[in-house]
Amino acid sequence: MEYSKISPIEKKFSRFIVGTGNVVDDDTINESFDRLDAALDRGINVIDTAMGYGRGTSETALGKYFESRKNRDDLVVISKCCHPAPPFTCHRVNEAAIREDFENALRKMKTDYIDIYLLHRDDPTIPVSEIIDTLYEYYKKGQMLAYGVSNWTIPRIEEANAYAASKGIPGFIVSSPNYSLMQQYAEPWPMNCVTIAGPENKENRKWYVEHKMPVLAYSSMAMGMASGRVTREDHSILSPNGAKAYLGEENFKRLDRAQELAKEKGCSVAQISMAFVLDGEMDVYPIIGAANGAEMDSSIAALDLKLTPQEIAYLDLESDER
């Protein structure tokens, strides 16, 4: 496993992050514990969760896991607040929602701090001052070691960090947009999902490089589209949301090229897709929702591929040469 340092977090930060959408507090909780153990056994020490994951029980399940394994302080825990509530027609991005979600997260996970806390969505009508000031209050208490965003646009990140700088307090240190080999044609979920994939987002990716902001990439396998198990004739593994977001001829051309490189390099299409995410100029940490150790091993093996800039451009249809 490769590790980095993301300041101000003192713990080492694994290149992969284990997602907890399938970590559920029900009669299958031991299976959830096994998946978490498998990730830790492979050196993944960063866990990504949110109030709505695992049918709303992921944070509670993690609290039981930390208590069972006595390993909370060995892990970098990321959680999120302010996700819109069903039926996803109303924003929850405000001081009251931040406080409610954060204090519930501490209670559910049986911890007195969260390493990195993210805004799960944005509401551009809310002043960034309200958001930063509320987060900073928990930071000063040592309950929130750092904070960042998910699904925020670059102009809003810049606005928030400029405000923080003007006050002499910490701003957002990480961002978690969608990023994968696959271009995203439509939002897979409602209310302001943000992607930096595809040719139309080239300037946004350049911003992340220039500002050296780490990217915690969600849906790095594009909900299965980048797995190598989707063809023009059969895309039955995709959910309706995945089909809406990723089915398109440009993405099938990307898969064709990934298949070419996979044959040459003796690996899978999924590993080529993951190497694409890892080997670009941005500092990217993919969030993986692997169902078992074998799937984790497949993703981790992509660390050894090291695609060239020419191969990355070829995969993303920017060039016909490789």
Side-chain angles (χ1 to χ4, degrees):
M1 179 56 57
E2 294 179 1
Y3 298 93
S4 293
K5 175 75 167 62
I6 296 181
S7 181
I9 304 302
E10 295 183 357
K11 302 168 191 172
K12 64 184 182 180
F13 201 101
S14 58
R15 192 70 191 278
F16 285 96
I17 301 169
V18 60
T20 58
N22 57 4
V23 172
V24 184
D25 184 16
D26 62 10
D27 57 4
T28 67
I29 193 168
N30 287 332
E31 295 176 16
S32 295
F33 284 12
D34 288 345
R35 285 194 294 272
L36 292 169
D37 286 341
L40 270 61
D41 288 345
R42 288 157 174 80
I44 301 174
N45 72 318
V46 185
I47 294 177
D48 174 83
T49 190
M51 55 175 284
Y53 291 176
R55 301 194 298 275
T57 69
S58 176
E59 290 176 324
T60 302
L62 285 173
K64 294 179 179 180
Y65 179 74
F66 300 150
E67 188 173 59
S68 170
R69 302 301 194 261
K70 312 297 182 189
N71 62 358
R72 167 64 187 93
D73 290 337
D74 299 328
L75 303 171
V76 177
V77 176
I78 301 167
S79 194
K80 310 180 189 74
C81 64
C82 300
H83 194 281
F88 308 114
T89 56
C90 182
H91 288 288
R92 292 182 62 254
V93 183
N94 53 56
E95 177 183 351
I98 293 171
R99 293 187 185 280
E100 177 185 5
D101 294 353
F102 183 71
E103 290 167 16
N104 280 337
L106 292 180
R107 175 181 54 81
K108 290 176 181 178
M109 291 193 284
K110 302 179 183 180
T111 184
D112 56 7
Y113 72 99
I114 293 175
D115 298 85
I116 305 177
Y117 204 56
L118 307 182
L119 277 292
H120 209 159
R121 290 290 197 280
D122 187 20
D123 179 355
T125 69
I126 301 299
V128 293
S129 57
E130 178 178 335
I131 294 167
I132 292 290
D133 289 348
T134 305
L135 296 172
Y136 182 59
E137 181 180 322
Y138 291 108
Y139 173 87
K140 286 191 297 183
K141 295 177 182 178
Q143 294 177 301
M144 191 184 296
L145 303 189
Y147 36 84
V149 292
S150 178
N151 294 299
W152 274 46
T153 64
I154 287 171
R156 279 283 281 182
I157 296 172
E158 290 181 321
E159 182 184 0
N161 281 359
Y163 171 78
S166 74
K167 301 283 285 187
I169 63 178
F172 296 134
I173 68 158
V174 296
S175 175
S176 183
N178 164 257
Y179 182 57
S180 76
L181 171 60
M182 298 293 112
Q183 183 174 354
Q184 196 176 94
Y185 300 105
E187 290 185 341
W189 305 287
M191 299 196 74
N192 302 339
C193 297
V194 172
T195 181
I196 58 171
E200 67 275 19
N201 287 302
K202 186 174 183 179
E203 288 303 309
N204 290 336
R205 296 193 294 274
K206 183 178 177 181
W207 183 92
Y208 279 101
V209 174
E210 292 174 347
H211 288 78
K212 299 180 180 178
M213 179 173 280
V215 172
L216 316 182
Y218 74 78
S219 293
S220 51
M221 281 288 104
M223 303 175 77
M225 183 71 187
S227 68
R229 295 185 292 147
V230 175
T231 67
R232 289 174 176 82
E233 296 73 33
D234 182 5
H235 38 79
S236 57
I237 71 161
L238 293 180
S239 68
N241 286 346
K244 174 182 69 173
Y246 297 111
L247 282 181
E249 182 55 28
E250 293 91 348
N251 283 343
F252 283 117
K253 289 178 180 177
R254 290 181 173 93
L255 286 174
D256 291 340
R257 294 185 177 195
Q259 184 67 52
E260 289 176 30
L261 289 178
K263 288 180 179 178
E264 289 181 11
K265 296 177 182 292
C267 63
S268 68
V269 168
Q271 288 166 340
I272 292 291
S273 298
M274 185 60 73
F276 174 90
V277 171
L278 292 165
D279 292 343
E281 294 181 311
M282 294 187 299
D283 187 20
V284 181
Y285 301 81
I287 301 168
I288 57 173
N292 52 56
E295 290 187 7
M296 293 179 199
D297 289 338
S298 175
S299 292
I300 292 169
L303 287 170
D304 297 325
L305 285 177
K306 305 304 179 188
L307 299 178
T308 67
Q310 292 79 15
E311 288 170 331
I312 290 172
Y314 179 72
L315 287 168
D316 207 21
L317 310 183
E318 290 188 348
S319 170
D320 291 330
E321 305 292 332
R322 57 182 175 84

